[in-house]
């Protein structure tokens, strides 16, 4: 299979070499011990006393030398591990295994209250280090999120997610001159309200004073209980927003305040048109939605913050216009632009579509992969490295929930948002999910260890899990970046060296007790062999057996 890449072959070769080295070394010592035990006289029991006396007569210098030798071997192995994997073995074990067992508690052990506050502060700090993006395909609160709450009794949005949305609304829909217009002044306060009913009441109050576009937006997002109602309110918002946009466009060069107002009106107009296109897509008018998105991208090409191209990709996939999808990817799947799960996995889907209907793992293992199949597998590996959480949702190994209003790129929140809308497109392409199932796990064999080093993309953020827990509801089990297991050779070597050092220390401190223990252990170990040898000795003639022992 193509999954066994160059990195995997190198690791396999290294493991084989070290395994054979250890096996041959162990076999040599076993044979040496057997030669010592089975020399004439033949009886094993007669030699156990000799072995015990030999262990008791060993001087402390022997144990010091044995401990030093094992320490030297351990140091060489740990140095090799650091040179190969980029981190020390002790550090990796401490961070990955010991720290979770200790709960991440600091050695200083402050008071419970200060520890809780410090943990919360560190959590918030780690979340702030990860850039959170507005979900381009976010649902409507009134028509979709609230309906989920009515049916299940669960809140699909977290306070942190809704607080980020409130900050976005204040950034996009307000400006410094809002206090000069009564309706805009009311809406400026409405966006800061935490109570949904208070926001809706403020929007109605603003509409009583004037045709306010942002008031219609708030009602369409939060009060409308169906997509049809939301679309009607957005059309009213579009009428009011276009009038404000034309007026501010004429005055934008008259000063900084007018320029800020024009920027706000532009954001409002783009938001309204994008949501209208999403309403058309949800109501089945996909071609109309595609046209609206294309026109919006041509009219405002510099407003990439809304990521309208991701809405366009999803709509084009629904139309099965794969040539148009490829054209959009050619424009936005650029090294200078930020990647997303939509970009990477859509590119993988298009390449998988060319070979997935005829792909067979058994046939591929016999004849090897063709060029098209290799390109598809490489595209899947690229997508999985960017966001490793997506395949479990696409393969339905993990249950989906409603996507949040904000996502963290390469995180579980982005994987949910992508799979929620694009799972149907993968199912529509025959064999695509089968190809994904056969190849996605091979990605982790190609990524250097530790995983934070990355392969095709920048290092995977360590704060992703913490940020996703803030964005996703508590009833959802957050997917964590798959951890590579430590190689068996490393674990075996560490255990062997630790056991040798402990055995040497115990033998030095309690030589008589360890001699008794060694005698009992060897007696138990060689009891079956002793029994077999006695049976063989009783069956074979004594002269023949004597000649064999001499040989």
């Amino acid at each position: 299979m193509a999954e066994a890449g160059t990195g995997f072959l190198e690791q396999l070769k290294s493991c084989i070499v070290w395994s054979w080295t250890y096996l041959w070394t162990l076999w040599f010592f076993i044979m040496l011990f057997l030669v010592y035990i089975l020399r004439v006289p033949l009886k094993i029991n007669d030699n156990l006393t000799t072995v015990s006396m030999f262990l008791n007569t060993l001087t402390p210098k022997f144990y010091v030398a044995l401990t030093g030798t094992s320490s030297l071997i351990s140091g060489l192995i740990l140095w090799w591990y650091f040179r190969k994997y980029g981190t020390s073995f002790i550090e990796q074990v401490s961070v990955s295994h010991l720290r979770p067992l200790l709960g991440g508690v600091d050695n200083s052990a402050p008071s419970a209250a200060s520890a809780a506050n410090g943990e919360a502060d560190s959590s918030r700090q780690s979340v702030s280090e990860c850039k959170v993006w507005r979900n381009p395909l976010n649902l409507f609160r009134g028509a979709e999120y609230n309906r989920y709450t009515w049916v299940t009794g669960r809140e699909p949005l977290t306070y942190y997610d809704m607080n980020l949305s409130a900050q976005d609304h204040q950034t996009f829909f307000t400006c410094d001159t809002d206090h000069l217009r009564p309706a805009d002044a009311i809406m400026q306060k409405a966006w800061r309200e935490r109570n949904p009913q208070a926001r809706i009441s403020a929007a109605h109050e603003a509409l009583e004073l004037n045709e306010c576009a942002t008031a219609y937006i708030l009602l369409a997002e939060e009060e409308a209980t169906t997509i049809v109602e939301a679309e009607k309110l957005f059309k009213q918002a579009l009428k009011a927003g276009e009038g404000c946009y034309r007026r501010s466009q004429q005055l934008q060069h008259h000063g900084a305040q007018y320029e800020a107002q024009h920027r706000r009106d532009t954001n409002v107009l783009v938001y309204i048109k994008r949501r209208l296109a999403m309403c058309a897509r949800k109501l089945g008018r996909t071609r109309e939605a595609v046209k609206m998105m294309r026109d919006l991208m041509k009219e405002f090409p510099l407003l990439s913050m809304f990521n309208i191209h991701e809405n366009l990709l999803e709509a084009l996939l629904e139309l099965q216009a794969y040539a148009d999808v490829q054209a959009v990817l050619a424009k936005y799947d650029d090294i200078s632009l930020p990647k997303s799960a939509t970009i990477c996995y859509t590119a993988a889907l298009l390449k998988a579509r060319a070979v997935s209907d005829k792909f067979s793992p058994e046939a591929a293992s016999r004849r090897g992969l063709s060029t098209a199949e290799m390109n598809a597998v490489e595209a899947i590996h690229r997508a999985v490295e960017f966001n490793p959480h997506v395949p479990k949702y696409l393969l339905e190994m993990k249950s989906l929930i409603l996507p949040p209003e904000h996502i963290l790129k390469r995180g579980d929140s982005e994987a949910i948002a992508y799979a929620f809308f694009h799972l149907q497109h993968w199912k529509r392409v025959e064999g695509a999910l089968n190809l994904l199932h056969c190849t996605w796990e091979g990605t982790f064999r190609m990524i250097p260890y530790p995983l934070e080093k990355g392969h095709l993309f920048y290092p995977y953020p360590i704060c992703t899990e913490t940020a996703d827990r803030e964005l996703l509801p508590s009833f959802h089990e957050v997917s964590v970046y798959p951890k590579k297991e430590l190689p068996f050779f490393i674990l075996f070597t560490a255990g062997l060296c630790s056991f040798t050092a402990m055995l040497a220390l115990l033998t030095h401190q309690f030589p008589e007790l360890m001699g008794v223990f060694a005698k009992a252990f060897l007696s138990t170990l060689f009891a079956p062999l002793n029994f077999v040898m006695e049976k063989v000795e009783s069956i074979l003639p004594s002269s023949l057996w004597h000649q064999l022992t001499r040989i």
Side-chain angles (χ1 to χ4, degrees):
M1 293 292 291
E3 301 171 358
T6 305
F8 172 65
L9 292 177
E10 291 179 356
Q11 292 185 7
L12 182 62
K13 181 180 178 181
S14 177
C15 291
I16 292 174
V17 171
W18 282 101
S19 300
W20 275 106
T21 303
Y22 262 86
L23 287 175
W24 278 109
T25 305
L26 186 61
W27 177 252
F28 171 76
F29 281 109
I30 292 177
M31 293 301 297
L32 187 63
F33 184 78
L34 290 178
V35 168
Y36 173 78
I37 293 294
L38 296 178
R39 73 187 193 280
V40 180
L42 182 63
K43 297 292 185 179
I44 295 178
N45 289 332
D46 297 339
N47 291 277
L48 292 178
T49 305
T50 306
V51 173
S52 178
M53 292 177 59
F54 173 75
L55 293 175
N56 291 332
T57 56
L58 292 176
T59 63
K61 293 183 180 179
F62 169 78
Y63 299 109
V64 172
L66 180 63
T67 306
T69 304
S70 62
S71 300
L72 177 62
I73 296 175
S74 301
L76 293 175
I77 293 173
L78 294 176
W79 174 81
W80 168 82
Y81 183 88
F82 177 79
R83 290 295 301 271
K84 184 173 181 62
Y85 296 110
T87 185
S88 67
F89 175 76
I90 299 176
E91 177 187 358
Q92 187 67 24
V93 171
S94 300
V95 173
S96 302
H97 303 284
L98 297 182
R99 187 176 180 183
L101 293 177
L102 297 177
V105 180
D106 194 3
N107 294 332
S108 58
S111 63
S114 60
N117 293 335
E119 185 176 345
D121 293 340
S122 62
S123 176
R124 294 293 181 183
Q125 182 180 1
S126 62
V127 172
S128 63
E129 292 175 355
C130 293
K131 185 176 181 181
V132 179
W133 299 72
R134 181 83 177 177
N135 184 4
L137 299 170
N138 66 308
L139 306 178
F140 294 86
R141 283 195 189 179
E144 293 172 307
Y145 287 121
N146 286 349
R147 180 174 297 180
Y148 177 83
T149 303
W150 297 336
V151 174
T152 64
R154 292 177 171 181
E155 289 290 342
L157 299 176
T158 63
Y159 172 77
Y160 177 70
D161 191 15
M162 292 188 290
N163 186 47
L164 291 176
S165 297
Q167 296 177 16
D168 292 341
H169 295 154
Q170 294 176 47
T171 302
F172 294 150
F173 303 149
T174 63
C175 64
D176 296 336
T177 60
D178 283 346
H179 64 279
L180 301 177
R181 296 174 297 278
D184 289 337
I186 294 175
M187 289 306 302
Q188 191 175 41
K189 296 179 181 179
W191 294 120
R192 298 173 183 171
E193 286 285 348
R194 293 186 178 180
N195 188 354
Q197 293 301 323
R199 290 195 297 270
I200 293 174
S201 300
H204 284 292
E205 183 181 352
L207 289 176
E208 292 176 359
L209 299 177
N210 192 8
E211 288 291 310
C212 182
T214 54
Y216 283 120
I217 290 176
L218 192 148
L219 295 178
E221 292 285 352
E222 301 192 20
E223 188 182 40
T225 57
T226 63
I227 301 298
V228 175
E229 294 179 13
E231 186 180 33
K232 291 180 180 178
L233 289 169
F234 273 120
K235 288 181 178 179
Q236 292 177 282
L238 178 62
K239 184 178 179 180
E242 285 179 339
C244 294
Y245 175 77
R246 285 192 295 267
R247 289 192 296 270
S248 62
Q249 188 177 25
Q250 298 174 357
L251 302 174
Q252 62 175 320
H253 301 295
H254 291 185
Q257 292 183 346
Y258 292 103
E259 184 178 355
Q261 183 177 346
H262 177 67
R263 190 182 307 114
R264 190 279 306 269
D265 293 338
T266 302
N267 292 334
V268 170
L269 185 61
V270 172
Y271 185 89
I272 294 171
K273 289 187 175 182
R274 172 175 162 270
R275 291 305 255 178
L276 279 172
M278 294 178 67
C279 287
R281 166 68 183 91
K282 292 176 183 293
L283 295 174
R285 306 195 306 271
T286 309
R287 295 189 182 277
E288 179 185 346
V290 169
K291 183 179 183 305
M292 296 172 67
M293 293 174 191
R294 290 186 184 278
D295 294 341
L296 186 58
M297 294 171 65
K298 290 179 181 178
E299 187 177 0
F300 302 98
L302 300 179
L303 289 181
S304 60
M305 67 184 75
F306 293 104
N307 291 325
I308 305 173
H309 62 276
E310 296 195 9
N311 299 83
L312 179 60
L313 284 173
E314 196 280 327
L316 290 174
L317 287 173
E318 177 65 21
L319 294 175
Q320 301 185 37
Y322 297 111
D324 294 336
V325 172
Q326 185 62 54
V328 176
L329 287 177
K331 181 178 180 181
Y332 289 95
D333 192 5
D334 187 79
I335 191 173
S336 62
L337 297 176
K339 296 292 184 294
S340 66
T342 302
I343 294 290
C344 295
Y345 278 90
T346 302
L349 176 61
L350 291 187
K351 292 187 178 181
R353 175 177 170 268
V355 298
S356 60
D357 57 336
K358 300 178 181 178
F359 178 78
S360 172
E362 294 79 11
S365 62
R366 290 195 304 268
R367 58 173 171 78
L369 294 177
S370 63
T371 303
E373 290 174 338
M374 183 67 72
N375 292 336
V377 171
E378 290 177 353
I380 290 176
H381 287 174
R382 171 177 179 260
V384 173
E385 183 184 349
F386 182 83
N387 194 314
H389 312 285
V390 172
K392 286 190 176 181
Y393 293 107
L394 292 180
L395 298 173
E396 298 182 87
M397 301 166 62
K398 201 170 168 36
S399 59
L400 276 171
I401 61 172
L402 294 184
E405 293 183 340
H406 289 81
I407 60 174
L408 186 67
K409 289 193 174 182
R410 308 187 72 177
D412 190 29
S413 53
E414 184 191 34
I416 292 172
Y418 173 80
F420 186 85
F421 294 98
H422 288 261
L423 176 59
Q424 56 180 333
H425 306 315
W426 280 81
K427 287 183 175 181
R428 188 179 293 120
V429 177
E430 182 182 358
L433 290 176
N434 178 46
L435 179 61
L436 178 68
H437 174 72
C438 295
T439 57
W440 75 278
E441 291 182 339
T443 308
F444 305 115
R445 304 191 187 103
M446 304 173 61
I447 302 176
Y449 192 80
L451 297 171
E452 287 76 11
K453 295 178 65 174
H455 180 55
L456 298 175
F457 297 99
Y458 55 88
Y460 191 80
I462 59 176
C463 59
T464 303
E465 180 183 354
T466 306
D468 277 333
R469 294 190 187 279
E470 295 283 343
L471 289 171
L472 298 172
S474 59
F475 59 82
H476 172 72
E477 183 182 354
V478 176
S479 176
V480 182
Y481 197 105
K483 301 291 184 181
K484 261 190 177 180
E485 296 295 335
L486 291 175
F488 172 76
F489 162 70
I490 297 297
L491 298 176
F492 174 76
T493 305
L496 181 63
C497 293
S498 302
F499 177 75
T500 304
M502 182 183 66
L503 191 62
L505 179 62
L506 292 175
T507 306
H508 176 68
Q509 294 292 332
F510 313 101
E512 296 182 359
L513 182 62
M514 291 300 295
V516 174
F517 174 77
K519 182 177 180 179
F521 175 76
L522 292 175
S523 300
T524 306
L525 181 64
F526 288 101
L529 181 61
N530 189 22
F531 176 77
V532 173
M533 298 299 293
E534 289 180 354
K535 291 296 183 182
V536 172
E537 185 180 2
S538 63
I539 295 174
L540 294 178
S542 57
S543 57
L544 177 61
W545 184 251
H546 181 70
Q547 294 296 328
L548 290 176
T549 55
R550 292 189 61 182
I551 294 173

